[in-house]
Amino acid sequence: MGKNSENEPLIPDDFDTTVTLTLDNDEELECAVISIFDANGRRYIALLPLEGKAADDGEVYLYRYNETEDGQPDLANIESDEEFEIVSDAFDEMLDEAEYQELLGDDEE
């Protein structure tokens, strides 16, 4: 789906657009994949819950993202407040850039 730079979203063409998370309480939650992106030398994934209170509130879940040897997604929790802040800032910058690009596109029409 395109090349990836520090804040450019990248979702592989063969990647499902939804994932099912199993929460700590064993509840399953279907989420849309917003983006896979790099921040501070690591890959992360941004997920938007599709149901429940989190979906109603527009919460976005951020996780570390890796792939297993056979290409399956492997998500891990972000381990520190400092790391979360870095990832959150990178995600916000990515959204701001997307919004800016959308505004430029509207002006060109």
Side-chain angles (χ1 to χ4, degrees):
M1 178 182 246
K3 300 210 186 277
N4 192 17
S5 67
E6 183 69 19
N7 290 318
E8 181 182 335
L10 173 66
I11 300 176
D13 292 334
D14 61 347
F15 194 80
D16 283 336
T17 56
T18 63
V19 297
T20 302
L21 292 178
T22 302
L23 305 177
D24 290 338
N25 64 1
D26 291 329
E27 176 186 349
E28 289 189 346
L29 182 62
E30 190 77 13
C31 296
V33 176
I34 298 172
S35 180
I36 298 171
F37 60 99
D38 291 337
N40 204 31
R42 286 195 164 156
R43 295 190 84 192
Y44 295 91
I45 188 169
L47 303 173
L48 179 66
L50 296 175
E51 54 195 33
K53 182 167 175 27
D56 294 341
D57 293 344
E59 289 184 38
V60 173
Y61 296 159
L62 301 172
Y63 290 93
R64 286 183 184 172
Y65 176 83
N66 292 299
E67 291 182 1
T68 61
E69 288 182 17
D70 61 353
Q72 295 300 309
D74 181 36
L75 308 184
N77 290 326
I78 295 172
E79 297 180 6
S80 71
D81 291 341
E82 180 183 358
E83 181 183 7
F84 182 80
E85 191 68 33
I86 291 168
V87 174
S88 180
D89 287 347
F91 180 69
D92 288 344
E93 285 178 29
M94 185 185 66
L95 290 179
D96 289 346
E97 178 66 22
E99 187 175 303
Y100 178 74
Q101 292 299 326
E102 188 175 304
L103 288 173
L104 282 180
D106 289 345
D107 289 344
E108 293 175 3
E109 291 179 8

